[in-house]
Amino acid sequence: MKKEYAVIGLGRFGGSICRELSQEGLEVLAIDLDEDKVNEYKEIASHAVIADSTDETVLRELGIRNIDHVIVAIGDNIQASLLTTVILEELGIKKITVKAQNDYHEKILSKIGADHVIHPERDMGKRIAHNIMSNNILDYIELSDDHSVVEVKAGSKMSGQSLVDLDIRAQYGCNVVAIKRQKDVIVSPMATEMIQEGDILIVIGADKDISRFEKNLVVEDD
């Protein structure tokens, strides 16, 4: 089953997350109080609705309890952000990621049920979107508009296979430039190098190629 996401708050940051997840072909429910913002994302997200996320009844009617991961990206209204987080926690949402305005906001969010708190000023939308897609995607750094470096943890799809077996360069157009294995770092690993579960691979490539690599070898099937 493909995971479903909801983004609450379609400002610059929330919009960036919504756009990235949608471009990866994922199911995204976009929510905002502002009609203009919702209209902007109607063609981008799977569903875009005008709704007040501080109203528990409204969230229930939207079927929010069926969503695997909710990202609360509400702008300057800390009260709405906190109340929304509390409601989502009470509704039993599996994973809640919330944008924090400051350290004080972050402390409260962590206490009331946010699984992951982010500061958009420190984290860019593209990097966070990739982290949201899988716990195995540890970091994502843009080198240019269309090339990036991604740091991924090897799961069951790669474990026990060599680099030549996986054929990452030929299949996905990406290069594994290093492997971190506990305290060791293997730079320019040999094609015969066997991948162990928990290895961290540093992969470089074009964004579209990295996206295919992540979907096929990194994101674990539920």
Side-chain angles (χ1 to χ4, degrees), residues 2-222:
K2 193 185 279 190
K3 282 186 181 174
E4 293 186 21
Y5 299 84
V7 177
I8 300 174
L10 298 174
R12 192 169 60 180
F13 173 71
S16 165
I17 295 279
C18 180
R19 198 178 294 274
E20 285 292 331
L21 293 175
S22 298
Q23 283 174 357
E24 295 297 334
L26 299 166
E27 288 283 320
V28 183
L29 168 63
I31 301 170
D32 200 287
L33 269 174
D34 187 314
E35 185 177 355
D36 290 338
K37 286 179 182 172
V38 170
N39 287 335
E40 185 183 340
Y41 284 89
K42 274 193 171 156
E43 301 300 317
I44 297 166
S46 315
H47 309 282
V49 295
I50 303 164
D52 179 2
S53 63
T54 64
D55 187 327
E56 184 176 340
T57 306
V58 169
L59 290 182
R60 283 179 184 273
E61 287 172 354
L62 286 174
I64 203 88
R65 284 184 296 181
N66 300 321
I67 301 288
D68 300 290
H69 190 160
V70 179
I71 299 96
V72 181
I74 293 170
D76 298 330
N77 191 334
I78 289 179
Q79 186 174 329
S81 166
L82 295 174
L83 187 50
T84 299
T85 305
V86 168
I87 292 169
L88 293 171
E89 169 68 13
E90 287 177 350
L91 290 174
I93 301 300
K94 294 174 202 167
K95 191 161 186 186
I96 306 167
T97 296
V98 190
K99 167 190 170 184
Q101 298 297 325
N102 50 48
D103 292 340
Y104 172 70
H105 187 196
E106 179 176 6
K107 277 184 186 173
I108 301 171
L109 287 167
S110 299
K111 289 182 190 301
I112 62 174
D115 299 297
H116 188 206
V117 179
I118 45 187
H119 288 263
E121 297 77 17
R122 299 194 307 228
D123 306 313
M124 62 188 181
K126 184 173 259 193
R127 175 186 292 183
I128 294 162
H130 281 256
N131 293 152
I132 283 167
M133 280 159 45
S134 171
N135 292 334
N136 288 343
I137 300 172
L138 306 177
D139 206 353
Y140 188 95
I141 301 160
E142 284 186 273
L143 298 176
S144 68
D145 286 346
D146 51 8
H147 281 76
S148 301
V149 175
V150 65
E151 192 172 276
V152 302
K153 188 191 288 184
S156 59
K157 289 182 178 179
M158 286 191 273
S159 175
Q161 298 190 71
S162 69
L163 288 175
V164 74
D165 292 333
L166 293 167
D167 207 9
I168 293 168
R169 185 183 296 177
Q171 293 288 330
Y172 304 104
C174 302
N175 287 301
V176 178
V177 294
I179 298 172
K180 293 183 192 173
R181 183 171 294 148
Q182 294 170 345
K183 292 183 180 176
D184 298 324
V185 178
I186 305 161
V187 179
S188 298
M190 303 282 286
T192 52
E193 186 68 47
M194 297 294 289
I195 304 294
Q196 300 174 16
E197 190 149 3
D199 279 357
I200 294 169
L201 278 63
I202 314 299
V203 180
I204 189 168
D207 291 346
K208 59 181 175 52
D209 295 329
I210 286 177
S211 178
R212 286 190 304 117
F213 163 70
E214 289 174 346
K215 281 180 189 169
N216 288 288
L217 290 180
V218 181
V219 177
E220 298 284 341
D221 298 323
D222 287 341

